[in-house]
Each structure stands twice: as C-alpha cells, then as structure tokens.
Amino acid sequence: MSNADWFAPLIYILIGALLLFGALRFRQSAQQRSGRSSTGARLVDPGAAAPTRQREWLWEELTPREMQVAQLVVEGKRNAEIAQDLSISVRTVQTHIQNIYAKLEVHSRTELARAMRDFID
C-alpha cells in the first residue's frame, strides 16, 4: 500500500470531522445569541428585570415626534392618515415607525400596541 492510498481517506475523514465540528459550534453560538437552549426552550435569567420595567426605560429613547406617531399607530390610523394629521410625508411616517420598532424592539403594530398598553398600565 503506497502513501497516497491511505492518505486521501484520512484527509476526507479529517475534513468531514472539521465541518461537523464547525456546524455544531455554529449552532451552539446561534442558540446562545437567541437565548435558547438545545431543547428550544428559552433560558430565563432570574436577575433580569421584568419586561415592563425594561420597556419603560426604552420609551425614554423615543423623540416627542416618535411618541406622537406611536400613539397614532396604536389608535389604528394608517400611515397616510398619520402623515396628514402631523403634516409630514408618508415616507417620514414610515421612517418614524421603523425607528420606533428598533428602539422598542418590536416588529409590528400589534406588538407596539401591546408595548404601549404595558407602558400605560
């Protein structure tokens, strides 16, 4: 048996092991970033503040105009109606809404309404 005969399969085995190890490591780091365990359950930090307390702090990040837009969104107004009420363009309303979502860490009007309800309560 020559050197090349046993060397090639060994290389393939090592490459496969490295790929498997990398995939497992990537999955583990992704789970840690999302706060999920390997079972898919969310990990709870007992020292973490209640969501409403954290949300109250996040509200302080909004500008007065963003707070106006948020209130109108929660009232159920469409972007065009908000733009007309505030005498701004629809594009500006969209930008305000994107900023609000980012600052409050919400992804929809429904989540925004829920967050505002929690803030007021």
Side-chain angles (χ1 to χ4, degrees):
M1 185 175 226
S2 70
N3 260 351
D5 291 339
W6 67 267
F7 188 69
L10 180 64
I11 293 295
Y12 289 126
I13 291 170
L14 288 174
I15 290 172
L18 285 173
L19 287 173
L20 180 61
F21 178 75
L24 291 174
R25 199 72 175 133
F26 177 78
R27 181 176 177 198
Q28 181 183 20
S29 67
Q31 287 173 343
Q32 287 174 346
R33 281 192 306 269
S34 70
R36 294 189 183 273
S37 68
S38 59
T39 62
R42 250 199 201 281
L43 300 176
V44 177
D45 180 10
T52 54
R53 296 302 287 161
Q54 181 184 14
R55 186 77 64 200
E56 286 177 20
W57 180 78
L58 293 173
W59 280 105
E60 295 172 1
E61 296 293 316
L62 295 183
T63 65
R65 181 61 100 181
E66 289 170 345
M67 185 58 103
Q68 286 178 325
V69 171
Q71 289 170 343
L72 293 171
V73 167
V74 170
E75 289 175 15
K77 295 200 174 195
R78 297 174 185 223
N79 290 358
E81 294 170 325
I82 296 170
Q84 186 177 14
D85 289 353
L86 299 178
S87 300
I88 56 178
S89 73
V90 174
R91 180 68 185 129
T92 302
V93 172
Q94 292 169 343
T95 301
H96 283 311
I97 291 173
Q98 288 174 348
N99 292 339
I100 293 165
Y101 285 1
K103 290 178 180 180
L104 297 182
E105 300 172 3
V106 297
H107 301 93
S108 69
R109 289 175 183 254
T110 304
E111 286 182 35
L112 177 59
R114 190 174 301 125
M116 185 165 277
R117 184 195 67 216
D118 292 343
F119 175 68
I120 292 170
D121 288 345

